[in-house]
């Protein structure tokens, strides 16, 4: 019988900067599907694969970095952990903290946080503190708490987060048998683009992959500090997971872009929501709004004639659509298309079968 997937630390332990003394706190994260998209492949006249990170235990890629951050925090004797979050970091942190018996402290910005994500943190038993400020204020606060009190900070400024998240690149290369020509993903606090690039570079340097991809990152137009080259004090977008005006890994994201010969651009909320819906309707993959930013970016680039034909392209879709149903459903006029009596002929008529 094939061995079941064991989680990213056991699977990739030799690529981790810590030894066997760190026991894995795991929920079996990683090992997510890499799904070929006939729809996108035809549009770009290449081969497009979607890395479905919503299939992680708490529904986003954050679990990859949380298993490493929490495992190391436990090994170092932490009793409590803190994070600033637009939702998914706290959903993930609280789950792994629950498993490890740590006290989770969550700082969320005032205003929009998707209800599904908050439900996760509540059910995992977190203390949730809402801050009168934005995400960037929450991150400053978390840093301050971790500096002055005995709590471990597990935002992506914690290097262990990056170490766990880089395993997504390993999986892509392991499945494709090579690195893609181009990797596309959303950019918020910019930890993930940093992590993917680190993973691709490590596999390349070790000779596992003969090449490295270009990295294309996409921010939301209302919160695109890297594209604009300046901090955005009041970031605004429906894609709450990337509503970040001053990314912690700003310079590292620029390095990933420049070393790979890639780009970081922005897409509008309209493009994001359209891509979200198209991905759901064409491929059966329901992602949250932020997760569709990469798809929206690739579609826009293809439209502008900026994607050479014949490429192997991978796109990370970062989180599950069920986390935030209010945003897409608020755009759907009426859920019910037709009401009928319980009658076969009437159903066939309504369904356009006759
Ligand atoms: C965290 C997150 C992002 C942004 O990732 P960064 O590492 O902050 O750039 C994008 N999408 C989803 C669903 C996320 O949870």
């Amino acid at each position: 019988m094939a061995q079941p997937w064991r989680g990213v630390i056991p699977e990739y332990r030799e690529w981790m900067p810590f030894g066997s003394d760190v026991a894995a706190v795991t929920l079996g994260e990683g090992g997510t599907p890499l799904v070929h998209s006939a729809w996108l492949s035809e549009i770009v006249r290449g081969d497009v694969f979607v890395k479905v990170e919503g299939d992680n235990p708490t529904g986003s890629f954050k679990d990859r970095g949380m298993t490493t951050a929490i495992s190391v925090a436990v090994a170092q004797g932490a009793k409590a952990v803190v994070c600033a979050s637009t939702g998914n970091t706290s959903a993930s942190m609280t789950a792994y903290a629950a498993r490890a018996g740590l006290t989770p402290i969550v700082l969320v910005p005032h205003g929009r946080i998707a209800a599904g994500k908050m439900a996760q943190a509540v059910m995992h038993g977190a203390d949730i503190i809402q801050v009168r400020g934005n995400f960037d204020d929450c991150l400053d606060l978390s840093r301050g708490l971790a500096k002055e009190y005995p709590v471990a900070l597990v935002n992506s400024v914690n290097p262990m987060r990056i170490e766990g998240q880089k395993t997504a690149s390993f999986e892509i290369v392991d499945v494709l048998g090579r690195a893609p020509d181009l990797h596309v993903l959303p950019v918020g606090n910019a930890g993930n683009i940093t992590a993917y690039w680190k993973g691709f570079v490590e596999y390349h340097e070790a000779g596992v992959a003969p090449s490295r991809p270009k990295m294309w990152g996409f921010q939301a137009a209302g919160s695109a500090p890297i594209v604009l080259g300046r901090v955005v004090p009041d970031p605004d977008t429906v894609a709450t997971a990337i509503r970040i005006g001053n990314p912690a890994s700003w310079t590292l994201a620029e390095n990933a872009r420049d070393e790979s010969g890639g780009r970081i651009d922005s897409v509008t909320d309209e493009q994001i929501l359209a891509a979200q819906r198209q991905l759901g309707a064409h491929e059966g993959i329901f992602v949250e709004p932020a997760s569709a930013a990469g798809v929206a970016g690739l579609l826009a680039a293809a439209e502008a004639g900026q994607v050479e034909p014949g490429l192997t392209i991978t796109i990370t879709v970062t989180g599950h659509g069920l986390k935030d149903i209010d945003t897409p459903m608020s755009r759907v006029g009426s859920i019910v298309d037709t009401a009928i009596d319980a009658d076969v002929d009437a159903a066939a008529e309504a369904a356009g079968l006759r």
Side-chain angles (χ1 to χ4, degrees), residues 4-66:
W5 182 263
R6 296 167 298 166
V8 301
I9 294 177
E11 295 290 341
Y12 293 109
R13 197 180 264 283
E14 69 274 27
W15 300 89
M16 294 297 147
F18 48 77
S20 52
D21 52 316
V22 173
V25 177
T26 179
L27 285 160
E29 61 295 317
T32 55
L34 187 66
V35 179
H36 185 259
S37 169
W39 165 59
L40 289 169
S41 297
E42 191 183 323
I43 290 173
V44 305
R45 291 179 293 144
D47 259 314
V48 183
F49 296 85
V50 181
K51 183 70 169 156
V52 186
E53 288 291 279
D55 277 29
N56 275 296
T58 76
S60 84
F61 74 83
K62 298 296 196 298
D63 295 341
R64 292 179 184 278
M66 211 50 79

Side-chain angles (χ1 to χ4, degrees), residues 133-171:
N134 60 25
F135 171 84
D136 307 290
D137 298 320
C138 292
L139 185 54
D140 287 346
L141 258 184
S142 303
R143 285 178 147 139
L145 276 181
K147 207 164 135 210
E148 289 169 39
Y149 298 89
V151 294
L153 175 65
V154 298
N155 278 104
S156 59
V157 293
N158 176 332
M160 289 311 132
R161 285 277 308 279
I162 305 298
E163 295 298 328
Q165 287 171 213
K166 75 184 179 187
T167 60
S169 298
F170 297 166
E171 289 176 19

